[in-house]
Amino acid sequence: MFEPTLIIAAAGLTGLVIVAAAMLRGWQGWLELKRSELEGHHGPRAEEGSSMGAARIELADLKERIKKLEAIASGVDL
């Protein structure tokens, strides 16, 4: 009734469709993740830890950079 090559071709085509659908779904998920990042929604990781502590560390880092730039501007070697 059905030849083996026809069955193999149909199975291969079905597998290819399944893989393509899975990859398309993954791609759409990745695009949605990037959209939410651009909109400023960082997801559950943004809720972890203290944002105040991170802000203090960043502020200290900026102050240190300013001191270094001021030293460079005045000609002092650090």
Side-chain angles (χ1 to χ4, degrees), residues 7-23:
I7 294 172
I8 291 172
L13 185 60
T14 303
L16 182 64
V17 168
I18 290 171
V19 169
M23 290 180 71

Side-chain angles (χ1 to χ4, degrees), residues 16-76:
L16 182 64
V17 168
I18 290 171
V19 169
M23 290 180 71
L24 180 62
R25 183 149 173 106
W27 175 253
Q28 289 173 345
W30 185 82
L31 286 177
E32 184 61 34
L33 173 69
K34 292 301 173 182
R35 276 191 203 106
S36 68
E37 284 180 0
L38 287 174
E39 291 173 358
H41 304 177
H42 299 291
R45 296 188 88 194
E47 297 173 2
E48 295 176 6
S50 172
S51 62
M52 192 65 136
R56 287 181 182 166
I57 291 171
E58 188 173 343
L59 187 61
D61 184 45
L62 289 174
K63 286 181 180 180
E64 183 179 336
R65 288 182 183 183
I66 289 172
K67 286 181 184 179
K68 287 181 181 179
L69 288 172
E70 287 175 346
I72 291 172
S74 65
V76 176

